[in-house]
Amino acid sequence: MEAIVLILGIVIAVFAVTTLVKSVRIVPQQRMDVIERLGKYKRTLSPGLNLLVPFVDAVRTKVDMREQVVSFPPQPVITSDNLVVSIDTVLYFKVVDPVRATYEISHFLQAIEQLTVTTLRNVIGSLDLERALTSREEINKHLSSVLDETTGRWGIKVTRVEIKAIEPPPSIRDSMEKQMRAERERRATILNAEGHKQAAILTAEGEKQAAVLRADGDRQSRILQAEGQAKAIRTVFDAIHQANPSQKVLAYQYLQSLPQIANGTANKMWIVPTELTKALEGLGGALGGLAGMAGDQPLKGVDSGAVEREAAAAAEAAAAEAQKVNAEVRQAEADVNPGNPELPAPDPIPATFDDTADRTERIEKR
């Protein structure tokens, strides 16, 4: 009897514990539990501590209210130009109504996957390959709007749809790579040609400006040289007129310039003018006969014979220098052309004029 009472007490204790456990339900955060009473929807448990009727209320589903990410396997899709491409998509969604997600559709995740595949085939089927590769944003928006409209009845909100990859066939990929390579080469060639064109234009502009600057510099240099020569000539001319030189000074300067005319390596032939004798005579006349000109009077106490002798010595020195230069010229001609006959000797230059007595006589007569 005591054993029966003990067993009955244990059974009552186990029942009480089981009843307590079934009457208390703790729901974690971001989860909703759908409760049925006797097979009918009763209520939805919110996060926290909840009390149930034991053996009457039961949990139908535990719905995760967080946003979920689902990656679907690649799906073959045919484009409008009859090319098969493989498209891999990613779907972001969240359950906003756990009751409708439980009772409106069975296996809502599978339903979303199939709806995504069919919608993607409809969208890609209206596009060619090139547009499908460049219109991902448009495809994503279209998929998101269609899925959100359909899954809204299921208590599910599709937040975002992304296409991870669009893989064309290998042959198409090779053709696309060749096309892109050719396009890049064309652009590179065009850019290279544009660079050469700009470089040639800039070089021509630089050469033009340099030529203009050089011409302007040459013009300025010639103008300055001409102005300098003009100033020098004007200065010399003014100095000569202000000094008022006499005829004998000019004749003496002429005699001094004769050796300089004969000097030089480029002078192959030196022509002695026939008027040299007359010029020397004019020098002698200038020493004596031009003394009466204005500003050319001989000073008192000057020995006219000494002046005459100095002029005659200068004339003889000039004639000797002329003979020497003429001999050197002929020797150079003979060295250059040894086969030619010797040139005729030049006319002898008189070393002296008239004798001193005659000259003195003429001066006294004047």
Side-chain angles (χ1 to χ4, degrees), residues 12-242:
I12 293 172
V14 170
F15 179 75
V17 172
T18 303
T19 303
L20 181 61
V21 170
K22 286 184 173 293
S23 62
V24 177
R25 189 74 178 179
I26 299 176
V27 180
Q29 186 68 29
Q30 290 295 326
R31 200 184 79 179
M32 303 289 283
D33 291 352
V34 177
I35 303 300
E36 292 180 349
R37 179 171 292 180
L38 300 177
K40 184 181 179 180
Y41 171 75
K42 178 62 178 177
R43 62 177 178 146
T44 302
L45 299 182
S46 60
L49 180 63
N50 297 273
L51 297 178
L52 301 176
V53 178
F55 306 106
V56 177
D57 295 339
V59 178
R60 170 65 184 273
T61 56
K62 300 176 181 180
V63 182
D64 192 352
M65 303 301 292
R66 295 174 298 178
E67 187 173 1
Q68 302 180 36
V69 181
V70 180
S71 178
F72 300 134
Q75 299 293 328
V77 181
I78 300 177
T79 61
S80 62
D81 49 355
N82 297 325
L83 292 175
V84 179
V85 295
S86 178
I87 300 180
D88 191 5
T89 57
V90 178
L91 181 66
Y92 297 83
F93 71 96
K94 66 184 298 184
V95 178
V96 295
D97 191 347
V99 177
R100 284 192 297 175
T102 302
Y103 295 103
E104 293 294 333
I105 188 166
S106 175
H107 303 292
F108 63 85
L109 187 59
Q110 184 179 359
I112 292 174
E113 179 182 357
Q114 296 301 321
L115 180 62
T116 303
V117 171
T118 54
T119 306
L120 188 61
R121 287 179 177 176
N122 292 333
V123 174
I124 299 299
S126 62
L127 304 174
D128 55 4
L129 179 60
E130 185 175 357
R131 188 178 176 187
L133 293 174
T134 58
S135 304
R136 292 192 177 189
E137 189 67 25
E138 182 181 352
I139 297 172
N140 293 337
K141 290 181 179 179
H142 187 74
L143 284 175
S144 180
S145 62
V146 172
L147 292 175
D148 189 32
E149 180 182 359
T150 304
T151 58
R153 301 191 305 267
W154 305 338
I156 298 172
K157 173 67 175 177
V158 176
T159 57
R160 192 169 183 178
V161 180
E162 292 289 341
I163 296 178
K164 290 198 300 183
I166 300 177
E167 296 292 339
S171 58
I172 301 300
R173 286 200 301 269
D174 295 339
S175 300
M176 293 173 62
E177 289 177 359
K178 292 179 181 179
Q179 181 181 0
M180 293 303 298
R181 189 181 301 111
E183 181 67 20
R184 290 190 181 93
E185 291 177 356
R186 184 183 69 84
R187 292 179 182 178
T189 304
I190 292 175
L191 292 177
N192 192 14
E194 288 290 338
H196 285 298
K197 176 182 175 182
Q198 293 295 330
I201 292 174
L202 293 176
T203 302
E205 289 290 338
E207 292 178 353
K208 175 183 175 182
Q209 294 180 4
V212 170
L213 292 177
R214 283 195 297 267
D216 186 67
D218 190 15
R219 182 178 66 86
Q220 294 292 338
S221 176
R222 292 185 179 182
I223 290 174
L224 292 176
Q225 289 179 1
E227 291 179 354
Q229 292 177 0
K231 289 181 180 179
I233 293 173
R234 185 163 50 250
T235 302
V236 173
F237 184 77
D238 293 341
I240 292 174
H241 278 271
Q242 291 177 3

Side-chain angles (χ1 to χ4, degrees), residues 187-340:
R187 292 179 182 178
T189 304
I190 292 175
L191 292 177
N192 192 14
E194 288 290 338
H196 285 298
K197 176 182 175 182
Q198 293 295 330
I201 292 174
L202 293 176
T203 302
E205 289 290 338
E207 292 178 353
K208 175 183 175 182
Q209 294 180 4
V212 170
L213 292 177
R214 283 195 297 267
D216 186 67
D218 190 15
R219 182 178 66 86
Q220 294 292 338
S221 176
R222 292 185 179 182
I223 290 174
L224 292 176
Q225 289 179 1
E227 291 179 354
Q229 292 177 0
K231 289 181 180 179
I233 293 173
R234 185 163 50 250
T235 302
V236 173
F237 184 77
D238 293 341
I240 292 174
H241 278 271
Q242 291 177 3
N244 192 16
S246 62
Q247 293 294 329
K248 56 186 178 181
V249 174
L250 296 178
Y252 185 69
Q253 291 292 330
Y254 175 74
L255 291 175
Q256 287 184 341
S257 64
L258 289 179
Q260 296 179 1
I261 296 174
N263 189 15
T265 56
N267 294 326
K268 300 299 182 182
M269 182 179 295
W270 190 65
I271 301 174
V272 179
T274 56
E275 292 83 1
L276 181 59
T277 305
K278 295 181 180 180
L280 295 176
E281 292 178 356
L283 177 60
L287 293 175
L290 298 179
M293 297 179 63
D296 202 22
Q297 293 293 335
L299 298 177
K300 295 181 178 181
V302 177
D303 188 5
S304 59
V307 174
E308 185 70 22
R309 288 191 297 273
E310 183 179 355
E316 292 177 358
E321 187 68 24
Q323 293 290 345
K324 181 180 179 182
V325 171
N326 195 4
E328 290 178 356
V329 170
R330 291 194 171 277
Q331 183 64 32
E333 289 289 341
D335 294 339
V336 174
N337 298 318
N340 295 333

